[in-house]
Amino acid sequence: MGFLTELFSRPRPAEEQRYRSAMVLLNGMSNAERADIGIKPADFPRIARRMASR
């Protein structure tokens, strides 16, 4: 039973890599770019998760 719990609780390796890449992209944006699209640094994890799942 521990296998099933671990299987669903861990992110997939490919998704984790895409999440990290999305965070790097978001953190690399300038303040002007962030203001243009209306996002704040507090929104980065939510946006990166959405980008990684696609």
Side-chain angles (χ1 to χ4, degrees):
M1 197 62 169
F3 174 74
L4 285 177
T5 304
E6 195 169 321
L7 178 68
F8 292 111
S9 66
R10 287 186 177 175
R12 294 184 199 126
E15 187 173 331
E16 184 177 343
Q17 182 61 36
R18 288 193 304 260
Y19 176 79
R20 289 181 183 178
S21 299
M23 285 297 285
V24 167
L25 176 72
L26 291 169
N27 285 321
M29 294 172 65
S30 70
N31 288 337
E33 291 171 330
R34 292 177 192 160
D36 284 345
I37 59 176
I39 62 171
K40 297 180 175 135
D43 298 330
F44 288 179
R46 178 181 49 83
I47 294 169
R49 278 193 302 273
R50 194 177 328 144
M51 290 170 70
S53 67
R54 292 181 184 177

